[in-house]
Amino acid sequence: MGQDNSHPQPGDLIEIYREFYQHWALYMGDGYVINVTPVDEGAPSLSVSIASIFTRKAKVKKQLLKEVVGNDKWHVNNKYDRSHTPRPVGEIIRLAERWIDREVPYDVLANNCEHFVTMLRYGEGVSDQATNAVDGATAAVGGIILVGLAAAVLKGFSRDSSREERRYH
C-alpha cells in the first residue's frame, strides 16, 4: 500500500494521488473511507473520476482506505481548515453515513469527489482542483483568442504593407 505514514482521524480529508488528478475521500474510522465511485459496480476504484466523467453519475461507497488507495500515495489533507470551519466530527460521520450507497450527480468541475467530501466536512463543497482546471481552461482560451487576434492584426499589417509596396512600385 502506498501510504506516507499518515494517521487519519475520523472526519479527515484524504487526498490520493492518481496519475493525472487527485481523488478525495473522507476518513470514517477503523480503516474505512467514504468516497464517490462510478455507478458501474464492476469499475475498479482507481478509475473513479475518469468513468464518472462520462456517466455524470456516481455512487457513494464506504470502502477500506487501502482498497481505494491501491498502490498510490496519499495523505491527510484538511487544507481548507484555514478558510472553512469544520463541522463537529460526530456530525460529519452521521452525515456521511446517510450518503452510503446513494447515487449522486457527478461533474468533474462542479460536483466532483473533492466537492463531495468538503461538503461533508465543512457544509460547503470546494475543489481547488476544479477551480484550477477552470482557470487553466479560461487562460488557455484567452491565450488562443489573443494569439488569433495578434495573427489577424499582423496579417492585416502585412496586407496593408503589400498594398503600399505595390502602390510605390
Side-chain angles (χ1 to χ4, degrees), residues 47-157:
S47 64
V48 170
S49 293
I50 304 301
S52 297
I53 287 169
F54 300 110
T55 63
R56 309 224 3 125
K57 290 181 184 172
K59 193 167 192 178
V60 179
K61 299 290 268 176
K62 183 176 180 180
Q63 299 173 285
L64 284 170
L65 173 61
K66 65 183 180 181
E67 289 175 5
V68 175
V69 168
N71 292 320
D72 294 326
K73 292 206 176 290
W74 66 274
H75 75 273
V76 171
N77 189 353
N78 296 322
K79 65 182 178 177
Y80 300 108
D81 284 7
R82 288 173 259 149
S83 57
H84 297 75
T85 305
R87 292 175 161 152
V89 173
E91 185 179 338
I92 294 170
I93 301 305
R94 272 192 306 281
L95 286 169
E97 287 173 342
R98 289 184 197 153
W99 285 99
I100 295 170
D101 292 329
R102 287 176 58 185
E103 197 172 286
V104 294
Y106 185 92
D107 181 299
V108 72
L109 296 177
N111 198 19
N112 64 35
C113 56
E114 188 176 7
H115 287 107
F116 178 74
V117 297
T118 55
M119 182 269 303
L120 292 172
R121 184 170 174 85
Y122 306 109
E124 177 186 357
V126 232
S127 174
D128 282 349
Q129 188 170 216
T131 302
N132 293 341
V134 169
D135 290 349
T138 302
V141 169
I144 291 167
I145 291 169
L146 286 175
V147 168
L149 285 172
V153 167
L154 289 173
K155 188 174 182 181
F157 280 142

